[in-house]
Amino acid sequence: MKKFKLGVDVGGTFTDLVAIDDTGHTVIAKSPSTPEDQSIGVIKGLTVLAERAGTDLKGLLSNTERFVHGTTVATNALLEKKGAKVALITTHGHRDVLEMREGLKEDRYNLRLPRFEPLVPRNLRYGLKERMNFKGNILQALDRDHLSETVADLKRKEIGAVAICLLHSYKNAEHEREVEAFLRSEMPDVYVSRSSDVLPQIKEYERVSTTVVNAYVGPAVKRYLTNLESRLQEAGFLGRLFIILSHGGMAPVEEAWRIAAATVLSGPAGGIAGSRKCSQLLSMPDLIPFDMGGTSTDISLILGGRAILSADGDLAGQRIALKSLDIASIATGGGSIGKITSSGQFDVGPESAGSVPGPVCYDNGGQEITVTDANLILGYLDPDNFLGGKKKLNYPETLKRMEELAERLGVSVDAAAAGIYRLVNMKMADGIRIMTLRRGVDPRRFTLLSFGGAAGLHAVSVARELEIPKVAIPTVASVLSAWGMLNSDLRYEVSRTLVGEVRACAKDIAGLFAELEREAHKKLSQWYGDEIKSVFSAEMRYGEQIFEIDVPLDGIDVGSPDFAEALIERFHHQHEKLYTYALRDQEVTFVNARVAAVGPVESSTSTEPDTLAPLNGLEPKTVRPAFFGTRVDTPVYHIAEMAPGATVVGPAILVAETTTVIIQPKDVAKVNGLGWIEVDLAGLHDRS
């Protein structure tokens, strides 16, 4: 029996599934997501995947060697404000840090900006009588009577989770551990999040916010993953389930729900892992991954073949200071609703029809016109061949709803649909500008990597908005996040604060790195039996600066005699790279040490061009009218039947079972040696 590796990514509209067997053959499937319980959609999708792989669900799962999963449970809990009822225990006098934040407003000149609502209301924030100083010395012992009174009050208020964040616990976690132990003995069913476990670093607001987010989403993540693991075992799965984390690595279930805040970018992280692999296979070191799904679009950067990591994460207004991939998410997708606002303006999104009820054309009760409906009216989608013919789209009802919108706008049906198409493209182009131009990066020297079920319909037009000369579309584009998860390594990160001038603290810094490396390796070795690699980085600043920058320490021996000088020079180089200058006569301050233990996983990537089987019952080439400024009889090509070297000049429509690619007039699409599509934009390619 063949052995399989499975990747499953749950999106807002569809659940994407990929199985790669031990011969490298790839099978994909898409199944509607089930927001009420994502595990239901996962099991249904796995059943479809098993059928396509020539077996049944038990046969697939019992022969699965590795199962990697990306989930949006934490993301949805934050965005929809449906997390646990959380209490915060902090040091006496500091319970309002969560609400004061950093003393800044997101939009400082907006006088009508609504007041920020913290995840923990003031009546559930408790100041505990205890105190550490900045060196970790105890100034006031923990008042156990006060702790007992606090916990008794928590019991009365039926709390679902508790965040513990005491002052300077990153230096000395003794009091936090005592509070945690007492909580677990008195309230064993409550989820407990301790800051010295979640983020043992300096900066009080970042630490308390991240710890609270962890407590807020933790119960939902734990409940979902426990439920999914149980369902999989009942269906015959005998292996270990791994969860993709926000930094692009993966960890077992128990680690994922312990640091649940690290899963808020779980789904998009798989796409970045897949993008890194695409960069290698295409020999294109600079890519803009463009992941357009049903409810949102995720944009990131691959620079020199590497993804960018950041500790400045923010989701739904909540600060999450854990290391994560730098991803900009825009509330624009195939399900985004086109509407006339109360002020009379025409807009698309951010509201989405999601998977339920979905676009009007899904015939599932949707009443409002979406981007997908516009693509159908424009002739870009075939109503009789959606998802390889498995789903019919309701064209008459969609046309009726579009006519109603067009009448309100005072334009033709085609103009209304084209307006939605153009507006959503402009919004996504603006998202790419934020990711590139505002960071000093010129998007014109990049290739746009298109993936996600809806991306192929828009990628070429978005690229032209930005004068990007080339678009690449893998054959697994519609499920690239799930495919990418099978190319993610096991990863466990630890960090610790040590503030001091680098030369004066060189021995302490080297000792801290060695300690963190031992800790990280010890933890990862519980899940991984092969050789473990270490990735070192530091957060540093000039002495008078307020904010640190992340400094990768690749190639630096942290145990060498000249370690301090190498560290300082690396910081100067990184500062100059980011801000165009370095102050080499100023002292450099070390703030945080970070070590990632990485367990490399053998690549599961198949480069075969026939990852999508030919579509059943369709001619190799058809023609249908589509809108490109006017209605044009447009040739339709089946991607699975296009051999490497094949060339198509637009306008054209390229179709696969789970995605459609629109080639604009005069643009040229070629099939490369991998069987993937590369589109050269007319008039732009010679600028690259």
Side-chain angles (χ1 to χ4, degrees):
M1 184 70 183
K2 292 179 181 178
K3 298 295 183 181
F4 296 95
K5 297 178 179 67
L6 303 182
V8 177
D9 174 42
V10 178
T13 306
F14 287 102
T15 295
D16 300 335
L17 308 98
V18 174
I20 301 179
D21 65 25
D22 43 18
T23 69
H25 181 67
T26 303
V27 178
I28 71 171
K30 290 178 88 73
S31 177
S33 295
T34 50
E36 69 281 1
D37 182 352
Q38 291 185 4
S39 64
I40 296 173
V42 170
I43 296 298
K44 287 181 178 179
L46 286 169
T47 304
V48 175
L49 187 69
E51 182 182 342
R52 303 200 60 182
T55 182
D56 57 14
L57 181 60
K58 184 175 182 180
L60 176 69
L61 292 177
S62 62
N63 288 284
T64 293
E65 296 177 325
R66 192 192 329 153
F67 193 130
V68 188
H69 178 41
T71 173
T72 56
V73 169
T75 313
N76 293 343
L78 264 184
L79 292 175
E80 299 170 10
K81 296 292 186 288
K82 293 181 179 178
K85 184 179 180 181
V86 181
L88 170 65
I89 296 178
T90 187
T91 301
H92 180 71
H94 288 256
R95 67 173 179 160
D96 291 325
V97 168
L98 189 66
E99 194 161 356
M100 293 163 63
R101 309 175 88 193
E102 294 170 309
L104 300 174
K105 297 195 301 183
E106 292 178 11
D107 186 357
R108 67 186 67 187
Y109 300 113
N110 183 355
L111 300 180
R112 297 181 180 180
L113 189 70
R115 179 184 175 188
F116 173 76
E117 293 293 336
L119 296 177
V120 185
R122 199 167 194 270
N123 68 314
L124 295 181
R125 304 197 296 259
Y126 297 83
L128 194 60
K129 294 176 182 177
E130 67 83 41
R131 189 62 183 260
M132 297 271 181
N133 70 7
F134 71 98
K135 294 181 179 179
N137 299 322
I138 298 175
L139 298 180
Q140 180 181 356
L142 178 65
D143 188 327
R144 295 182 178 278
D145 291 337
H146 191 207
L147 175 60
S148 296
E149 293 171 9
T150 299
V151 173
D153 196 44
L154 291 178
K155 289 179 180 178
R156 287 191 292 271
K157 293 180 178 178
E158 298 181 349
I159 296 300
V162 179
I164 308 167
C165 188
L166 304 180
L167 203 63
H168 302 304
S169 63
Y170 63 89
K171 269 294 191 183
N172 184 347
E174 180 183 337
H175 284 176
E176 279 200 357
R177 291 195 186 100
E178 287 185 46
V179 173
E180 179 187 23
F182 188 74
L183 269 170
R184 292 193 185 280
S185 65
E186 294 293 313
M187 304 174 72
D189 296 330
V190 167
Y191 183 96
V192 179
S193 175
R194 172 167 55 87
S195 77
S196 50
D197 184 38
V198 175
L199 189 72
Q201 292 181 191
I202 197 171
K203 292 194 174 179
E204 190 177 3
Y205 172 65
E206 281 85 348
R207 191 159 49 89
V208 68
S209 178
T210 304
T211 305
V212 165
V213 168
N214 196 67
Y216 187 73
V217 302
V221 172
K222 182 178 180 180
R223 187 165 53 249
Y224 166 69
L225 293 179
T226 302
N227 188 26
L228 175 62
E229 200 169 35
S230 176
R231 284 177 181 269
L232 290 172
Q233 289 169 355
E234 290 173 4
F237 181 54
L238 305 174
R240 197 168 194 176
L241 176 63
F242 290 95
I243 307 302
I244 195 85
L245 302 181
S246 299
H247 53 49
M250 58 181 178
V253 165
E254 58 273 18
E255 181 65 19
W257 62 252
R258 185 181 72 85
I259 309 294
T263 68
V264 294
L265 293 177
S266 175
I272 306 308
S275 299
R276 283 199 305 259
K277 190 64 182 179
C278 289
S279 175
Q280 296 172 19
L281 293 173
L282 293 167
S283 299
M284 295 178 181
D286 297 328
L287 296 176
I288 299 175
F290 172 71
D291 177 9
M292 183 180 180
T295 56
S296 64
T297 297
D298 297 316
I299 299 161
S300 53
L301 285 178
I302 301 293
L303 279 167
R306 300 179 62 172
I308 298 174
L309 288 169
S310 169
D312 298 324
D314 185 287
L315 184 67
Q318 306 299 329
R319 185 82 166 82
I320 305 169
L322 295 170
K323 207 75 167 175
S324 64
L325 291 164
D326 196 1
I327 300 171
S329 189
I330 308 167
T332 301
S336 295
I337 294 170
K339 62 186 181 300
I340 300 173
T341 65
S342 57
S343 61
Q345 292 181 315
F346 181 54
D347 199 6
V348 179
E351 298 85 1
S352 173
S355 59
V356 179
V360 175
C361 62
Y362 282 12
D363 208 15
N364 195 32
Q367 301 292 314
E368 297 180 281
I369 285 292
T370 67
V371 172
T372 299
D373 296 317
N375 283 317
L376 176 62
I377 295 298
L378 293 172
Y380 300 158
L381 293 174
D382 183 350
D384 297 321
N385 192 47
F386 192 66
L387 290 179
K390 294 177 182 175
K391 185 177 182 66
K392 304 290 185 183
L393 299 180
N394 190 336
Y395 185 87
E397 181 64 22
T398 306
L399 180 60
K400 175 185 172 184
R401 296 289 178 181
M402 188 66 77
E403 286 173 341
E404 293 172 357
L405 179 62
E407 184 177 351
R408 293 176 62 197
L409 290 169
V411 298
S412 68
V413 168
D414 280 349
I420 292 172
Y421 184 80
R422 178 73 196 283
L423 185 53
V424 77
N425 290 341
M426 292 173 65
K427 287 194 169 190
M428 292 185 291
D430 283 343
I432 293 175
R433 289 187 181 98
I434 292 171
M435 180 58 73
T436 55
L437 294 174
R438 291 189 183 180
R439 302 172 190 221
V441 175
D442 185 352
R444 293 175 297 182
R445 69 178 184 85
F446 284 72
T447 295
L448 189 70
L449 181 69
S450 167
F451 63 98
L457 292 158
H458 298 267
V460 174
S461 294
V462 169
R464 185 163 292 282
E465 289 276 350
L466 297 160
E467 298 185 16
I468 295 173
K470 184 184 283 289
V471 177
I473 306 118
T475 48
V476 288
S478 65
V479 293
L480 190 82
S481 290
W483 179 80
M485 290 171 189
L486 298 179
N487 294 285
S488 298
D489 295 326
L490 281 162
R491 187 180 181 102
Y492 180 77
E493 287 200 3
V494 287
S495 62
R496 204 86 81 243
T497 293
L498 192 162
V499 181
E501 197 274 321
V502 173
R503 290 188 180 92
C505 301
K507 287 186 178 179
D508 292 337
I509 294 170
L512 178 58
F513 273 120
E515 179 187 340
L516 293 178
E517 184 177 30
R518 286 192 297 271
E519 181 183 335
H521 279 234
K522 181 179 179 181
K523 185 72 173 182
L524 189 63
S525 63
Q526 298 173 16
W527 325 323
Y528 185 80
D530 293 332
E531 183 180 354
I532 296 174
K533 297 180 180 180
S534 298
V535 179
F536 299 92
S537 63
E539 291 175 11
M540 304 162 67
R541 56 177 165 82
Y542 289 116
E544 301 303 318
Q545 289 180 325
I546 299 173
F547 298 103
E548 302 81 41
I549 64 170
D550 187 64
V551 182
L553 302 182
D554 301 348
I556 293 180
D557 182 359
V558 296
S560 66
D562 61 347
F563 164 63
E565 297 306 318
L567 189 60
I568 290 170
E569 183 54 38
R570 181 65 61 86
F571 168 77
H572 288 317
H573 175 78
Q574 185 72 359
H575 196 280
E576 191 169 25
K577 182 179 177 182
L578 290 172
Y579 303 113
T580 73
Y581 73 94
L583 304 174
R584 285 182 163 77
D585 58 336
Q586 288 199 15
E587 70 175 28
V588 175
T589 299
F590 189 94
V591 179
N592 293 316
R594 192 184 303 273
V595 177
V598 178
V601 173
E602 182 183 354
S603 174
S604 301
T605 305
S606 166
T607 59
E608 58 182 329
D610 62 339
T611 49
L612 298 180
L615 306 182
N616 296 325
L618 287 181
E619 296 294 328
K621 181 179 179 182
T622 58
V623 174
R624 69 170 179 257
F627 188 83
F628 295 94
T630 184
R631 289 281 168 175
V632 178
D633 285 337
T634 307
V636 180
Y637 299 87
H638 302 160
I639 296 174
E641 298 174 4
M642 295 171 65
T647 300
V648 173
V649 179
I653 300 173
L654 311 183
V655 297
E657 181 177 355
T658 54
T659 195
T660 298
V661 180
I662 300 301
I663 310 299
Q664 295 291 330
K666 298 184 180 180
D667 295 338
V668 179
K670 292 182 180 179
V671 181
N672 66 18
L674 301 171
W676 299 4
I677 306 297
E678 293 183 20
V679 184
D680 293 325
L681 274 66
L684 297 178
H685 186 62
D686 53 0
R687 298 185 190 180
S688 61

